[in-house]
Amino acid sequence: MTDAETKLLDLLNIERLEVDMFRGVGSGGETPTRIYGGQVIAQALAAAYRTVPDRLCHSLHAYFIRPGDPSIPVIYSVDRARDGGSFTTRRVVAIQHGKQILNLSASFHVEDEGWEYQHPMPQVDGPDDLETREAYRDRYIDRIPEQHRAEFLRPRPIEIREVAPRDMFDPEPADDVHHLWFRMAAAAGADPQMQHILLAYASDMGLLGSALRPHGLSWLKGEVNGASLDHAMWFHAPIRFQDWHLYSMDAPFSGRGRSFNRGSIFNKDGTLVASVAQEGLMRPNRKSKS
């Protein structure tokens, strides 16, 4: 297990303060200036799971309210909204500086039976012959200011391989549909709840950038003022995140300062294990014009 993987698992092992009150570390995720959205979602789901021992989450819906401060912990308050015969509902509020930064509703369902159908997995190149995340970033290191290079190259716990990576600084306009493979080797042996939590953490990766593609925009050039506004996720099938999963994403709409982004997550055998939807802030960064 790598140091980065150990740190992520420690990050998601939130501390219980009271029966329905928990504390999570704020720093250590994907970004240094604010708390990575997937981290807050994953910790909030972890808090909900601490109060639901006997069934798995089938859906979650979250709103990002304020940017998270990575310099201090996050407090998670769980409301036991409903404990039913088949479904359990939890509401989780994430708090920093006395204010909400995220609220999340999650629903849990007993194992059930029904008719089965899914869309097929897209036919794309497999992960074995694709460039690693580290090699991709190495190609741009000379264009990163020296004071940011260590953070840019910092080892990450989630292994990512993009099917058709674009230029990080000067991308050409491209179709909004794109794909990446991801996994975390240290997920081996994790229980089904932690598998969900890890996938929730990873589900925020690359999704918001889907809407930048048709416009030839890049986060690194400072052109876009962007942030996740909400995040929804549905779990369909058992997850083994230690194995490769394909994240197929698109952005059917952007306009009026917002974008709508969708994702389908398949295991390598082609089973659709989760679906994701997210709306994001997407407006010109006026500071970059000065």
Side-chain angles (χ1 to χ4, degrees), residues 51-161:
T51 71
V52 186
D54 58 347
R55 52 191 65 175
L56 293 176
C57 180
H58 71 91
S59 71
L60 63 84
H61 300 260
Y63 279 95
F64 296 99
I65 300 171
R66 296 178 176 87
D69 180 354
S71 69
I72 64 170
V74 184
I75 302 300
Y76 295 93
S77 175
V78 180
D79 174 27
R80 301 183 185 227
R82 179 175 186 262
D83 290 290
S86 297
F87 290 91
T88 297
T89 307
R90 295 291 184 261
R91 180 174 179 267
V92 184
V93 178
I95 302 166
Q96 284 188 315
H97 302 293
K99 297 179 179 179
Q100 295 186 26
I101 64 170
L102 172 137
N103 59 54
L104 175 145
S105 295
S107 182
F108 304 78
H109 188 204
V110 297
E111 190 72 24
D112 216 338
E113 296 181 355
W115 297 270
E116 295 188 5
Y117 169 80
Q118 66 160 76
H119 283 185
M121 183 172 71
Q123 297 300 305
V124 300
D125 293 338
D128 294 339
D129 297 324
L130 297 176
E131 187 176 40
T132 67
R133 189 185 196 184
E134 292 75 19
Y136 174 55
R137 292 192 168 216
D138 280 343
R139 290 196 278 122
Y140 297 94
I141 190 61
D142 291 339
R143 301 176 68 178
I144 301 296
E146 188 171 353
Q147 65 269 29
H148 299 305
R149 289 180 183 176
E151 171 61 30
F152 185 73
L153 295 178
R154 176 171 59 88
R156 292 335 198 252
I158 309 296
E159 187 177 357
I160 292 178
R161 299 189 184 183

Side-chain angles (χ1 to χ4, degrees), residues 5-290:
E5 290 172 321
T6 299
K7 288 177 181 178
L8 177 56
L9 292 174
D10 288 343
L11 196 72
L12 300 179
N13 184 23
I14 57 175
E15 176 188 4
R16 183 171 236 136
L17 301 177
E18 248 293 348
V19 175
D20 293 329
M21 191 79 68
F22 304 85
R23 177 166 55 198
V25 176
S27 60
E30 288 288 309
T31 60
T33 56
R34 63 174 67 181
I35 302 179
Y36 163 61
Q39 174 180 329
V40 190
I41 292 169
Q43 288 183 337
L45 179 58
Y49 259 131
R50 292 288 186 91
T51 71
V52 186
D54 58 347
R55 52 191 65 175
L56 293 176
C57 180
H58 71 91
S59 71
L60 63 84
H61 300 260
Y63 279 95
F64 296 99
I65 300 171
R66 296 178 176 87
D69 180 354
S71 69
I72 64 170
V74 184
I75 302 300
Y76 295 93
S77 175
V78 180
D79 174 27
R80 301 183 185 227
R82 179 175 186 262
D83 290 290
S86 297
F87 290 91
T88 297
T89 307
R90 295 291 184 261
R91 180 174 179 267
V92 184
V93 178
I95 302 166
Q96 284 188 315
H97 302 293
K99 297 179 179 179
Q100 295 186 26
I101 64 170
L102 172 137
N103 59 54
L104 175 145
S105 295
S107 182
F108 304 78
H109 188 204
V110 297
E111 190 72 24
D112 216 338
E113 296 181 355
W115 297 270
E116 295 188 5
Y117 169 80
Q118 66 160 76
H119 283 185
M121 183 172 71
Q123 297 300 305
V124 300
D125 293 338
D128 294 339
D129 297 324
L130 297 176
E131 187 176 40
T132 67
R133 189 185 196 184
E134 292 75 19
Y136 174 55
R137 292 192 168 216
D138 280 343
R139 290 196 278 122
Y140 297 94
I141 190 61
D142 291 339
R143 301 176 68 178
I144 301 296
E146 188 171 353
Q147 65 269 29
H148 299 305
R149 289 180 183 176
E151 171 61 30
F152 185 73
L153 295 178
R154 176 171 59 88
R156 292 335 198 252
I158 309 296
E159 187 177 357
I160 292 178
R161 299 189 184 183
E162 292 192 51
V163 172
R166 301 187 306 155
D167 188 297
M168 294 182 73
F169 285 90
D170 297 303
E172 295 290 333
D175 194 280
D176 61 287
V177 178
H178 64 118
H179 315 276
L180 61 80
W181 293 92
F182 56 5
R183 68 178 178 183
M184 179 176 163
D191 61 29
Q193 292 86 350
M194 180 54 71
Q195 295 282 355
H196 279 189
I197 292 165
L198 289 170
L199 193 65
Y201 178 94
S203 68
D204 199 26
M205 295 177 170
L207 188 59
L208 192 60
S210 304
L212 302 185
R213 296 171 61 86
H215 309 285
L217 296 171
S218 165
W219 296 120
L220 292 182
K221 292 180 70 174
E223 304 166 299
V224 185
N225 181 4
S228 301
L229 298 175
D230 61 10
H231 193 95
M233 192 168 186
W234 298 263
F235 298 97
H236 309 308
I239 296 158
R240 291 169 47 88
F241 198 47
Q242 63 267 30
D243 301 327
W244 285 114
H245 285 67
L246 178 69
Y247 200 2
S248 179
M249 295 165 276
D250 68 359
F253 168 82
S254 61
R256 298 176 178 84
R258 301 188 308 277
S259 67
F260 175 63
N261 311 278
R262 303 180 300 192
S264 298
I265 303 176
F266 300 84
N267 67 22
K268 202 174 181 183
D269 293 332
T271 300
L272 180 65
V273 301
S275 298
V276 187
Q278 184 181 88
E279 189 175 43
L281 179 69
M282 182 181 164
R283 59 191 180 197
N285 189 348
R286 295 174 179 85
K287 292 181 180 180
S288 67
K289 297 180 179 180
S290 60

